Amino acid sequence: EVQLLESGGGLVQPGGSLRLSCAGSGFTFSTYAMSWVRQAPGKGLEWVSVISGTGGTTYYADSVRGRFTSSRDNSKNTLYLQMNSLRAEDTAVFYCAKGSSAYFSDVRFFDFWGRGTLVTVSS
Amino acid sequence: QSALTQFRSVSGSPGQSVTISCTGTSSDFGGYNYVSWYQHHPGKAPKLMIYDVSERPSGVPDRFSGSKSGNTASLTISGLQAEDEADYYCCSYAGSYSWVFGGGTKLTVL
């Protein structure tokens, strides 16, 4: 059974940093691209980033590019999202999602998701 | 990328059919038929219901079906059941290694 478990969320002040983790199990983690998707309170889902199966290539939404960095440790079956220069508008539940392919360019959908971790940016 | 447009809410009685629409531009859909739909019960993990416009993952009931015409994709749920009450989101590959979601539609089963 595929499982994704996010952690690392919490309350952080504007301008601060936070690192989220997503532990994957039940599939060969290194052979799939992974994404982060977020949902601000009362809003819809917003794609944030994608990372290839090897971790060598990443892409980001315009709203986070230059502030967020996605990485992965395939030896630990874990995906990370380093978030810097956080803003109030980054407040959201962050989900990790498994891509449908190892290559981000071939990802057509996200077939498994975690339950999310809440990030609150507030002073 | 702007979010794909979905009506905020839709409702139906048990046994009825409902259709949830998702509208974008040609650039939103990127000229690809890579539209997917997700069911989300608040507090739980979103669940893939439809991919590649009309394909159903194993385990998803055939009451769920998808289609696309021009710049509008649709999810139809027939034979509504109480457990179908959830938020539904469309998603499309938008090109340039980016994906765009709809704003979500809350389905209420009366």
Side-chain angles (χ1 to χ4, degrees):
Chain A
E1 178 191 7
V2 173
Q3 290 192 334
L4 297 168
L5 182 62
E6 303 92 340
S7 61
L11 175 64
V12 60
Q13 292 187 339
S17 298
L18 207 59
R19 189 177 83 155
L20 306 183
S21 299
C22 169
S25 61
F27 65 105
T28 306
F29 188 79
S30 63
T31 61
Y32 290 93
M34 297 291 295
S35 267
W36 289 98
V37 178
R38 67 183 179 181
Q39 183 177 29
K43 302 292 186 181
L45 298 173
E46 179 190 16
W47 173 78
V48 172
S49 68
V50 66
I51 185 168
S52 61
T54 63
T57 306
T58 53
Y59 283 89
Y60 301 93
D62 291 343
S63 57
V64 307
R65 187 177 298 116
R67 301 187 299 123
F68 290 10
T69 302
S70 182
S71 62
R72 62 194 297 163
D73 184 340
N74 287 338
S75 69
K76 296 182 178 179
N77 290 350
T78 302
L79 171 72
Y80 302 101
L81 185 67
Q82 177 67 42
M83 303 184 295
N84 299 329
S85 303
L86 282 162
R87 307 166 180 167
E89 54 265 35
D90 294 318
T91 295
V93 175
F94 283 75
Y95 300 93
C96 66
K98 173 181 170 289
S100 55
S101 171
Y103 303 102
F104 57 88
S105 56
D106 292 338
V107 172
R108 310 190 316 276
F109 53 89
F110 306 103
D111 51 5
F112 292 95
W113 299 59
R115 291 193 173 205
T117 186
L118 176 62
V119 173
T120 303
V121 184
S122 175
S123 55
Chain B
Q1 290 288 348
S2 299
L4 301 172
T5 300
Q6 296 182 241
F7 286 114
R8 291 186 67 89
S9 64
V10 66
S11 63
S13 300
Q16 287 186 332
S17 293
V18 294
T19 296
I20 298 171
S21 64
C22 170
T23 301
T25 66
S26 57
S27 61
D28 289 333
F29 287 115
Y32 303 89
N33 283 325
Y34 295 158
V35 178
S36 52
W37 289 89
Y38 302 87
Q39 178 191 66
H40 188 208
H41 290 103
K44 295 194 174 183
K47 178 183 177 182
L48 175 68
M49 305 302 286
I50 295 286
Y51 66 94
D52 292 354
V53 175
S54 60
E55 298 297 316
R56 264 189 322 275
S58 60
V60 173
D62 60 5
R63 303 185 294 104
F64 292 83
S65 62
S67 63
K68 179 172 174 277
S69 178
N71 292 329
T72 297
S74 299
L75 172 71
T76 298
I77 308 171
S78 58
L80 268 180
Q81 299 182 4
E83 59 262 35
D84 298 334
E85 185 163 297
D87 298 320
Y88 290 85
Y89 294 90
C90 60
C91 177
S92 177
Y93 177 67
S96 301
Y97 311 122
S98 68
W99 288 261
V100 61
F101 286 88
T105 297
K106 181 178 178 60
L107 170 61
T108 301
V109 180
L110 303 171

